[in-house]
């Protein structure tokens, strides 16, 4: 679970930097990268939710 959290954290940082670059500088390529990362994050967050619920039942 720690590996999953670290991976989510790394992707979230990438998303944040790219989304900020798009919002502040109008960088279209950064917007594309941010959207791609958001698609990668979705299944990881669902996996985290599943693992978290399993851990709380123990």
């Amino acid at each position: 679970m720690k590996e999953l959290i670290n991976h989510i954290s790394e992707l979230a940082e990438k998303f944040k930097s790219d989304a900020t670059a798009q919002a502040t500088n109008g960088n279209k390529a950064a917007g594309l990268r941010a959207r791609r990362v958001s698609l990668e994050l979705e299944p990881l967050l669902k996996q985290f939710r599943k693992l978290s619920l399993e851990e709380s039942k123990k």
Side-chain angles (χ1 to χ4, degrees):
M1 186 152 165
K2 288 183 181 183
E3 290 178 24
L4 177 63
I5 293 170
N6 288 336
H7 189 57
I8 290 171
S9 180
E10 290 171 10
L11 288 176
E13 285 298 320
K14 286 182 184 180
F15 173 79
K16 182 179 177 184
S17 68
D18 288 334
T20 301
Q22 181 190 19
T24 58
N25 302 329
N27 186 335
K28 290 181 183 180
L32 176 62
R33 289 190 302 268
R35 290 189 299 275
R36 283 186 186 153
V37 170
S38 72
L39 291 174
E40 289 180 46
L41 277 170
E42 184 179 9
L44 293 175
L45 292 170
K46 287 181 181 181
Q47 183 180 1
F48 170 77
R49 184 175 188 278
K50 181 181 175 182
L51 289 174
S52 177
L53 286 171
E54 289 174 6
E55 288 291 322
S56 68
K57 291 179 182 178
K58 290 182 180 179

